[in-house]
């Protein structure tokens, strides 16, 4: 029989020779994984921050549209309270994101500068449309169905008429004169199924008209005087173009005489054409040369 080969006894040094590289490899892998997780953690934090801002911007858009739907002024304090909560310091950043969503998705705008936006009181603004005029016609923008399409159409027609009367009277209309106008229109008592007084208060609350009450000084006899003025929402939604459009529609056609009366009533100065301005400048230069003897 061939001699059996004796196995070499296994000692501790043989056991420790091979595992070392494996441990080093595992350690390297774990370090790489740690770096990867750390980098991903930063990305996740950034994405979470962007997602949180985006959600707040969407919440602000919903708040602005809901306020506009009910014709409620959009107030800065309301945005902080109902939208931002404890994120009040992020107002400008969230507002800018909401502005982009309003423009690109809804065709609306909420300017950040107060001097470029009609104001109602302190820090309150009106959502404005950025759609071209071609998409603002009555055939496209239908009256709201709440409370009903007929009631909404009647309300729009009534406040447009009252605002136009105020504007055509130099921007101020006395209570007595307004009542005479409404009496002629058979609208002095009711507007649709609502009392005229209630409708006027609603118009005042929505910002279409502003009521001014002047009381006599203390200790002096006299009656208080009430005048009605054009409100900020009317300036935005109706404007002078809306008033002129209403008058032209009522008269059936436009004429030079009608346009002249409209301009005089609304205080609009006729715009001179470029040719007229050029002719006037040329005539002025000619007069200057003649006076100098040139």
């Amino acid at each position: 029989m061939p001699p059996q080969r004796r196995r070499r006894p296994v000692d501790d040094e043989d056991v420790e020779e091979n595992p070392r590289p494996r441990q080093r490899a595992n350690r390297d892998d774990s370090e790489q994984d740690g770096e990867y997780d750390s980098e991903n953690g930063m990305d996740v934090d950034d994405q979470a921050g962007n997602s949180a801002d985006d959600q707040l911007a969407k919440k602000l858009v919903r708040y602005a549209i809901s306020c506009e739907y009910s014709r409620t002024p959009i107030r800065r304090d309301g945005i902080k309270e109902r939208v931002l909560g404890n994120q009040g310091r992020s107002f400008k950043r969230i507002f800018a994101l909401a502005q982009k969503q309003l423009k690109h998705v809804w065709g609306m705008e909420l300017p950040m500068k107060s001097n470029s936006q009609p104001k109602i009181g302190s820090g309150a603004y009106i959502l404005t449309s950025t759609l071209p005029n071609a998409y603002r016609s009555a055939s496209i923008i239908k009256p709201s169905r709440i409370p009903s399409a007929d009631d909404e159409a009647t309300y729009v027609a009534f406040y447009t008429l009252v605002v136009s009367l105020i504007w055509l009277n130099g921007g101020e209309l006395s209570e007595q004169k307004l009542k005479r106008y409404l009496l002629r229109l058979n609208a002095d008592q009711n507007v649709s199924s609502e009392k005229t007084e209630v409708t006027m208060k609603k118009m005042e609350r929505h910002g279409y008209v502003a009521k001014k009450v002047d009381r006599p000084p203390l200790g002096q006899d006299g009656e208080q005087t009430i005048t009605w003025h054009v409100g900020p929402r009317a300036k935005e939604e109706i404007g002078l173009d809306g008033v002129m459009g209403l008058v032209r529609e009522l008269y059936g056609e436009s004429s030079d005489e009608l346009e002249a009366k409209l301009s005089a009533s609304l205080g609009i100065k006729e715009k001179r054409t470029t040719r007229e301005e050029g002719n006037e400048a040329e005539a002025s230069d000619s007069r200057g040369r003649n006076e100098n003897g040139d």
Side-chain angles (χ1 to χ4, degrees):
M1 294 181 61
Q4 294 182 356
R5 182 176 299 177
R6 297 179 59 186
R7 291 185 177 182
R8 181 172 173 265
V10 179
D11 54 17
D12 295 339
E13 292 181 358
D14 293 333
V15 175
E16 293 179 357
E17 281 180 358
N18 295 330
R20 287 180 181 176
R22 186 177 297 111
Q23 290 177 358
R24 185 180 298 111
N26 292 339
R27 185 167 60 250
D28 293 341
D29 292 342
S30 64
E31 289 176 356
Q32 293 178 1
D33 293 342
E35 293 177 358
Y36 179 78
D37 292 340
S38 176
E39 292 178 358
N40 283 352
M42 293 176 62
D43 292 340
V44 169
D45 290 341
D46 292 341
Q47 292 175 2
N50 293 336
S51 177
D53 287 355
D54 188 62
Q55 292 301 318
L56 285 176
K58 290 180 179 179
K59 190 175 180 181
L60 176 52
V61 169
R62 289 194 296 269
Y63 173 71
I65 293 177
S66 65
C67 286
E68 179 60 24
Y69 186 77
S70 61
R71 296 183 173 96
T72 303
I74 303 168
R75 303 187 182 279
R76 187 185 181 98
D77 293 341
I79 293 175
K80 289 184 176 180
E81 178 183 353
R82 301 190 180 187
V83 177
L84 299 180
N86 58 1
Q87 302 293 325
R89 294 184 178 180
S90 305
F91 181 88
K92 289 185 177 180
R93 185 175 72 251
I94 302 303
F95 203 104
L97 290 174
Q99 185 82 301
K100 291 181 180 180
Q101 294 181 15
L102 282 170
K103 288 182 178 179
H104 298 159
V105 179
W106 299 95
M108 297 182 180
E109 184 180 23
L110 193 61
M112 297 180 67
K113 295 182 179 180
S114 59
N115 57 3
S116 65
Q117 171 80 10
K119 297 189 70 174
I120 305 178
S122 176
Y125 306 92
I126 300 172
L127 195 64
T128 61
S129 174
T130 59
L131 293 176
N133 292 331
Y135 297 102
R136 301 188 192 186
S137 64
S139 59
I140 296 177
I141 304 177
K142 300 292 185 179
S144 173
R145 296 182 180 181
I146 300 175
S148 70
D150 290 339
D151 289 342
E152 176 69 9
T154 301
Y155 180 55
V156 172
F158 184 76
Y159 71 62
T160 303
L161 176 63
V162 172
V163 167
S164 299
L165 291 173
I166 297 173
W167 235 319
L168 290 169
N169 280 271
E172 179 178 304
L173 189 62
S174 66
E175 175 83 352
Q176 294 78 8
K177 198 169 185 179
L178 176 60
K179 287 183 176 180
R180 289 199 298 268
Y181 282 131
L182 297 180
L183 182 61
R184 294 176 185 175
L185 296 168
N186 197 25
D188 58 314
Q189 298 296 325
N190 296 286
V191 178
S192 186
S193 59
E194 193 173 59
K195 292 290 185 182
T196 303
E197 183 180 359
V198 175
T199 303
M200 291 298 298
K201 288 182 178 179
K202 182 168 64 175
M203 289 166 53
E204 186 179 5
R205 186 173 65 254
H206 289 163
Y208 291 109
V209 295
K211 185 179 181 180
K212 182 180 179 182
V213 180
D214 292 327
R215 295 179 175 85
L218 293 175
Q220 296 184 12
D221 296 334
E223 296 181 356
Q224 67 179 17
T225 58
I226 299 176
T227 54
W228 292 91
H229 302 260
V230 178
R233 182 174 289 275
K235 294 177 182 178
E236 172 61 29
E237 289 189 9
I238 302 172
L240 293 178
D241 290 338
V243 176
M244 291 187 289
L246 174 65
V247 174
R248 290 168 185 149
E249 189 71 20
L250 290 174
Y251 277 85
E253 60 181 6
S254 178
S255 64
D256 293 339
E257 182 181 0
L258 176 62
E259 296 300 322
K261 290 182 177 180
L262 266 177
S263 299
S265 299
L266 298 174
I268 301 174
K269 294 182 179 180
E270 295 183 3
K271 295 182 179 179
R272 294 178 301 174
T273 63
T274 305
R275 179 179 297 178
E276 290 174 344
E277 292 177 352
N279 292 338
E280 183 176 341
E282 184 178 351
S284 177
D285 293 341
S286 178
R287 287 195 300 269
R289 288 193 300 269
N290 292 335
E291 291 176 357
N292 294 329
D294 295 341

